[in-house]
């Protein structure tokens, strides 16, 4: 049976079948509609016609050019003048009084400082531009470019200057005249002068007293009109632009000499002439500042939304650090709350020390005028000492005091926190050389070396509250080690003029003399070893310390302690070596000399420590040039760390006795008349 015939399916058959199921368009739907019969075309044509009509209307309107017959066209050729380069002075030292103040002074713009809320180190002042008066308008060019001035009663996030150096109080007063002038431009001002009544400040008080005429003249009040009626009734003259108050302080309660404040210059001079000298030797300066703030803080309160009644500023004049630093924080808080800046005409603090000496000359010419040196408290420049006192000899006084570059910590911080200025006054300030005692002016502190303020800026101490300071020290092993070493019970003393000459008459006697010489070094070794152990933890963090002051302090301390340690221990070891016996190379010689040398011949351990000390000290010299740390490191490097034995000959032959008689050396006759002259009586130095 034959199967039915089959035909294979084709793809085209399937597609045709699918198309057949789609609805086809009719012929009417596919016929095109005329263009001009559509709604869109009609709207387009209408819009074009309307716009053409508007354009034609505007084209037919008459056009007239308005000409201002009074207009003037100025044509100026391009300027060919050369512009002079202006060099900005970063800082100014006021050594001599200026004839004028502020921008009118000889120092011009350098006398002015920017007074924006964030304190600027670069002085900025606008230059007045002279222009002819216009008939059309007043052109206020200087008003347009007037610098912004911070409100006087806003001291938040604003700090004062801490290292302004001057050779005399007069230069500081001239600089303060500019501050007074700035204050007067804002509102009426009261300046409160707080004078240390100690005898050592006698001459500075007189210098400032003679300068008060100049102050009033420079601020534009040469002859102030005094309301005598109010003066007699003891009332403050609220119309006076500038008033002055005088307060004295010493060991007792502060004394107010002007109540109410005055603008009578002669009265001010008389008060300063009559201030009694305080002989207690105590200066309660911070108590005086707090008392003055409580007295005049009402002048800083806003009255009816018009701001404070007056600006108030304090000027402290003292040559010591103050004995009541427990009142520093209350004084800062009170002045900041009332917006009262505190300026201090003070003295530079000795580097790393609490005390120095003042050249005292009796202020009364009826008494002996020969100089005497008395100890005064003028330091240190930091909250607590950060300098490890390692003397070059047994007596630490032989290491002369040097300038720290800053004022005493508490007074300088008072200025820093209240937006004031600390003036470090020293009449014998000289750079790059040693100042001898003979050069010192009367009442000047003994500082043998001074350092440039610009160089010292990065080395400013940490002006923090005691709590914040100690917290930062505790957070850093390097700082903690340095402060701990620096505040040992007493200064470390090096080998005090060690014996270095030994005559060998017999071996037993030489051994006994060597043993006695070893005793001094043996007593010193434990102290130096303990200091090295205290400082050692900071070595690992030297590179991580960001403060140049702390790095310099640590490297100097560790370098000097290691140098003294090696110098002392190798001295002891060299004497021990000699006791074991040494032979002279020359038969004639009979004496051993122990001389400083760079070589270490008694142990590799000391060689490594000596190299470490030299590396640290050389690092201080290279990285901190021009600072007290570099100066002391150079002195330490000048003394070799090791020792070496040398031999020589000593003549032991007894010298013959000289015959009795004067050998025709007749003394010249004494000047009996001169000897009989009555000398001026000499008074003891009072407590300063």
């Amino acid at each position: 049976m034959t199967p039915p015939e089959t035909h294979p399916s084709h793809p085209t058959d399937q597609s045709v079948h699918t198309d057949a199921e789609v609805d086809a368009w009719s012929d009417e739907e596919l016929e095109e509609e005329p263009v001009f019969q559509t709604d869109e075309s009609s709207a387009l044509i209408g819009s074009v016609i309307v716009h053409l009509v508007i354009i034609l209307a505007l084209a037919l309107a008459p056009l007239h050019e308005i000409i201002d017959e009074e207009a003037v066209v100025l044509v100026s050729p391009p300027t060919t003048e050369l512009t002079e380069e202006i060099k900005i002075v970063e800082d100014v030292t006021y050594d001599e009084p200026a004839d004028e103040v502020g921008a009118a002074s000889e120092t011009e713009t350098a006398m002015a400082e920017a007074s924006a809320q964030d304190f600027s180190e670069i002085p900025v002042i606008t230059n007045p531009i002279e222009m002819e008066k216009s008939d059309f308008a007043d052109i206020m060019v200087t008003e347009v470019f007037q610098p912004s001035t911070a409100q006087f009663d806003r001291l938040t996030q604003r700090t004062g200057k801490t290292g302004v150096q001057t050779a005399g109080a007069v230069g500081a007063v001239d600089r303060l005249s500019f501050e007074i002038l700035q204050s007067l431009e804002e509102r009426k001002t009261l300046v409160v002068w707080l004078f240390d009544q100690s005898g050592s400040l006698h001459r500075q008080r007189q210098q400032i007293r003679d300068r008060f005429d100049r102050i009033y003249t420079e601020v534009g009040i040469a002859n102030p009109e005094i309301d005598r009626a109010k003066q007699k009734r003891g009332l403050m003259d609220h119309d006076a632009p500038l008033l002055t108050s005088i307060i004295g302080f010493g060991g007792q309660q502060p004394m107010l000499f002007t109540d109410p404040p005055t603008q009578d210059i002669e009265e001010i001079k008389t008060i300063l002439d009559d201030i009694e000298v305080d002989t207690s030797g105590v200066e309660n300066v911070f108590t005086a500042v707090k008392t003055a703030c409580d007295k005049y803080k009402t002048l800083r309160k806003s009255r009816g939304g018009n701001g404070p009644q007056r600006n108030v500023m304090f000027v402290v004049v003292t040559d010591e650090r103050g004995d009541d630093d427990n009142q520093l924080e209350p004084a800062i808080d009170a002045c900041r709350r009332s917006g009262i800046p505190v300026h201090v005409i003070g003295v530079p603090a000795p580097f790393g020390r609490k005390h120095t000496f003042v050249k005292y000359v009796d202020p009364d010419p009826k008494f002996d005028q020969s100089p005497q040196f008395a100890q005064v408290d003028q330091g240190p420049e930091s909250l607590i000492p950060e300098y490890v006192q390692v003397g070059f000899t047994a007596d630490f006084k032989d290491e002369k005091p040097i300038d720290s570059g800053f004022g005493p910590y508490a007074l300088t911080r008072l200025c820093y926190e209240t937006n004031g200025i600390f003036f470090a006054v020293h009449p014998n300030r000289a750079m790059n050389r040693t100042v001898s005692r003979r050069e010192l002016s009367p009442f000047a502190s003994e500082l043998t070396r001074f350092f440039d303020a610009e160089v010292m800026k990065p080395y400013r101490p940490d002006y923090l509250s005691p709590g914040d300071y100690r917290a930062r020290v505790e957070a850093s092993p390097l700082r903690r080690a340095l402060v701990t070493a620096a505040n040992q019970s007493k200064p470390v003393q090096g080998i005090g003029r060690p014996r270095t000459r030994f005559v060998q008459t017999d071996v037993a006697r030489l051994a006994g003399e060597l043993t006695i010489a070893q005793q001094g070094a043996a007593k010193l070794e434990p102290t130096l070893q303990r200091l090295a152990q205290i400082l050692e933890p900071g070595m690992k963090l030297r590179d991580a310390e960001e403060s140049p002051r702390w790095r310099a302090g640590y490297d100097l301390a560790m370098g000097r302690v290691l140098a003294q340690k090696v110098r002392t221990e190798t001295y002891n070891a060299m004497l021990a070596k000699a006791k074991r016996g040494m032979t002279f190379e020359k038969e004639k010689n009979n004496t051993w000399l122990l001389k400083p040398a760079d070589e270490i011949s008694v142990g590799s351990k000391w060689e490594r420590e000596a190299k470490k000390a030299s590396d640290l000290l050389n690092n201080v010299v290279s990285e901190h040039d021009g600072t007290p740390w570099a100066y002391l490191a150079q002195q330490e490097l000048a003394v070799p760390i090791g020792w070496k034995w040398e031999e020589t000959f000593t003549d032991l032959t007894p010298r013959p006795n000289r015959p009795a008689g004067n050998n025709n050396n007749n003394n010249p006759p004494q000047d009996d008349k001169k000897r009989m002259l009555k000398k001026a009586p000499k008074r003891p130095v009072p407590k300063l």
Side-chain angles (χ1 to χ4, degrees):
M1 188 173 170
T2 304
E5 185 178 357
T6 61
H7 300 280
S9 62
H10 197 276
T12 56
D13 295 341
Q14 180 67 29
S15 64
V16 171
H17 175 74
T18 303
D19 291 341
E21 295 178 354
V22 178
D23 293 337
W25 286 12
S26 64
D27 293 338
E28 293 180 357
E29 291 175 328
L30 294 174
E31 185 178 357
E32 293 184 0
E33 185 177 2
V35 175
F36 293 102
Q37 293 181 5
T38 64
D39 295 337
E40 293 83 354
S41 300
S42 301
L44 176 62
I45 294 171
S47 176
V48 170
I49 294 173
V50 171
H51 282 81
L52 287 174
V53 172
I54 294 173
I55 293 172
L56 290 174
L58 292 174
L60 296 176
L63 299 177
H64 297 283
E65 181 181 1
I66 301 175
I67 300 175
D68 186 358
E69 296 180 357
E70 296 183 358
V72 178
V73 179
L74 298 178
V75 179
S76 174
T79 180
T80 58
E81 295 181 0
L82 296 176
T83 303
E84 182 181 358
E85 181 182 0
I86 299 176
K87 296 182 179 180
I88 298 177
V89 180
E90 296 291 345
D91 203 355
V92 180
T93 301
Y94 302 95
D95 293 341
E96 299 296 334
D99 292 335
E100 300 291 344
V101 68
S105 71
E106 293 179 357
T107 49
E108 297 177 349
T109 59
M111 285 288 286
E113 296 178 33
S115 57
Q117 184 172 356
D118 292 330
F119 192 85
S120 173
E121 295 285 354
I122 301 177
V124 177
I125 190 169
T126 56
N127 295 322
I129 301 176
E130 296 182 359
M131 299 187 68
E132 294 184 2
K133 188 174 182 180
S134 171
D135 294 333
F136 299 100
D138 293 331
I139 303 176
M140 307 297 290
V141 177
T142 54
E143 291 295 328
V144 174
F145 295 98
Q146 184 177 4
S148 60
T149 303
Q151 295 182 11
F152 217 81
D153 52 349
R154 293 179 61 190
L155 298 181
T156 57
Q157 299 180 354
R158 188 178 179 195
T159 54
K161 301 195 72 174
T162 58
V164 178
Q165 299 175 348
T166 176
V170 172
V173 171
D174 287 347
R175 176 64 181 81
L176 287 172
S177 297
F178 177 76
E179 295 294 319
I180 296 171
L181 181 60
Q182 276 194 318
S183 177
L184 286 170
E185 289 178 353
E186 185 181 21
R187 62 173 61 90
K188 298 171 184 176
T189 298
L190 167 66
V191 181
V192 182
W193 295 79
L194 299 98
F195 285 94
D196 179 352
Q197 294 182 243
S198 62
S200 57
L201 208 69
H202 172 76
R203 294 198 178 186
Q204 276 199 22
R205 284 196 297 267
Q206 291 302 310
Q207 291 174 351
I208 295 173
R209 177 254 187 218
D210 297 337
R211 203 67 181 168
F212 264 96
D213 285 310
R214 190 68 167 272
I215 294 174
Y216 273 79
T217 301
E218 288 177 341
V219 299
I221 314 175
N223 298 301
E225 295 182 3
I226 301 171
D227 191 330
R228 298 297 179 184
K230 289 184 179 180
Q231 189 179 46
K232 289 181 180 180
R233 288 183 292 167
L235 300 176
M236 181 185 295
D237 186 357
H238 293 287
D239 296 327
L242 177 62
L243 290 174
T244 299
S245 181
I246 306 293
I247 293 177
F249 62 89
Q252 305 299 323
Q253 286 296 319
M255 297 183 63
L256 177 62
F257 296 105
T258 50
D259 195 12
T262 182
Q263 58 176 335
D264 190 336
I265 299 176
E266 294 305 318
E267 180 186 357
I268 295 170
K269 291 181 177 180
T270 302
I271 290 172
L272 293 178
D273 287 336
D274 296 338
I275 287 182
E276 294 184 4
V277 174
D278 182 270
T279 58
S280 66
V282 178
E283 287 80 24
N284 291 326
V285 56
F286 303 107
T287 300
V289 170
K290 176 66 166 55
T291 302
C293 189
D294 293 340
K295 173 72 175 177
Y296 297 114
K297 64 183 179 182
T298 56
L299 296 176
R300 296 293 299 144
K301 293 183 178 179
S302 180
R303 302 294 177 91
N306 296 323
Q309 184 178 352
R310 278 183 182 270
N311 285 337
V312 179
M313 67 170 63
F314 293 164
V315 180
V316 177
V317 185
T318 183
D319 62 350
E320 296 200 36
R321 71 179 183 216
D323 295 295
D324 58 339
D325 52 4
N326 61 323
Q327 294 299 311
L328 171 61
E329 300 302 325
I332 290 175
D333 292 341
C335 291
R336 287 181 64 88
R337 282 197 304 269
S338 298
I340 299 176
V342 182
H343 308 285
V344 175
I345 301 176
V347 292
F351 179 70
R353 298 188 182 205
K354 295 181 179 180
H355 313 293
T356 185
F357 294 89
V358 164
K359 186 177 184 178
Y360 178 82
V361 177
D362 199 308
D364 190 340
K366 296 179 182 178
F367 293 90
D368 186 6
Q369 296 295 291
S370 58
Q372 304 176 70
F373 284 85
Q375 180 175 289
V376 292
D377 301 333
Q378 294 185 345
E381 75 281 10
S382 53
L383 175 62
I384 53 179
E386 300 167 354
Y387 169 56
V388 179
Q389 299 180 354
V390 182
F392 296 111
T393 65
D395 186 358
F396 183 68
K397 291 180 182 177
D398 287 347
E399 185 179 323
K400 299 297 183 181
I402 59 177
D403 176 29
S404 67
F406 302 93
Y409 164 79
L411 284 169
T412 310
R413 181 167 168 245
L414 177 63
C415 297
Y416 180 80
E417 295 280 9
T418 62
N419 191 41
I421 303 173
F422 186 94
F423 296 92
V425 177
H426 198 288
N428 307 109
R429 187 180 298 278
M431 301 296 175
N432 303 319
R433 71 175 183 86
T434 300
V435 179
S436 66
R437 272 193 166 189
R438 290 181 300 174
E439 296 179 71
L440 291 178
S441 300
F443 303 100
S445 57
E446 183 184 17
L447 297 175
T448 59
R449 201 82 178 188
F450 294 91
F451 303 93
D452 185 78
E454 285 297 317
V455 176
M456 293 301 297
K457 276 184 179 180
Y459 300 88
R460 189 189 71 194
D462 296 324
Y463 294 119
L464 304 170
S465 66
D468 291 341
Y469 178 90
R470 291 186 174 89
R472 290 196 182 185
V473 168
E474 288 299 321
S476 167
L478 180 146
R479 298 186 182 190
R480 184 169 63 250
L482 178 59
V483 169
T484 303
N487 289 273
Q488 295 298 296
S489 58
K490 59 181 180 179
V492 179
Q493 299 173 345
I495 304 176
R497 298 177 180 86
R499 182 176 176 181
T500 57
R501 186 182 184 93
F502 300 89
V503 179
Q504 182 174 334
T505 55
D506 61 76
V507 176
R509 183 174 180 178
L510 175 62
E513 292 178 351
L514 291 170
T515 300
I516 294 173
Q518 283 182 292
Q519 293 176 359
K523 292 179 181 179
L524 183 59
E525 284 181 10
T527 301
L528 293 171
Q529 291 170 359
R530 184 175 67 255
L531 278 178
Q533 291 173 356
I534 292 173
L535 291 168
E536 182 61 32
M539 284 297 297
K540 299 178 181 179
L541 300 171
R542 286 178 60 252
D543 296 335
E545 177 56 60
E546 297 180 355
S547 166
R549 177 182 180 87
W550 286 99
R551 285 201 312 271
Y554 179 83
D555 285 356
L556 176 67
M558 191 63 171
R560 292 189 70 189
V561 167
L562 285 177
Q564 288 282 29
K565 177 177 178 292
V566 173
R567 194 177 289 125
T568 302
E569 292 176 348
T570 54
Y571 174 82
N572 198 349
M574 292 293 281
L575 296 183
K577 177 182 177 181
K579 286 198 298 184
R580 292 193 295 268
M582 296 188 299
T583 304
F584 292 108
E585 293 183 0
K586 294 183 179 181
E587 185 177 350
K588 176 185 177 182
N589 291 336
N590 62 354
T591 303
W592 294 106
L593 294 177
L594 187 59
K595 289 193 171 183
D598 292 326
E599 62 188 58
I600 305 291
S601 60
V602 287
S604 58
K605 170 194 171 184
W606 289 312
E607 281 186 290
R608 292 192 298 270
E609 289 185 341
K611 183 180 184 306
K612 187 177 181 180
S614 297
D615 291 344
L616 287 169
L617 294 171
N618 281 307
N619 183 70
V620 173
V621 173
S622 61
E623 289 192 6
H624 310 284
D625 185 36
T627 68
W629 298 274
Y631 173 72
L632 293 172
Q634 288 172 332
Q635 285 193 314
E636 189 71 55
L637 288 169
V639 181
I641 296 178
W643 304 90
K644 66 178 180 180
W645 283 112
E646 292 184 358
E647 60 182 68
T648 187
F649 172 75
T650 300
D651 187 2
L652 301 178
T653 305
R655 294 184 180 182
N657 294 327
R658 291 185 178 182
N662 60 8
N663 200 23
N664 295 325
N665 291 327
N666 295 320
N667 294 326
Q670 294 183 353
D671 189 342
D672 294 337
K673 187 175 181 180
K674 182 178 180 180
R675 185 166 51 88
M676 293 175 64
L677 289 175
K678 187 177 181 180
K679 293 184 178 180
K682 187 173 185 176
R683 294 191 294 185
V685 178
K687 293 182 179 179
L688 303 177

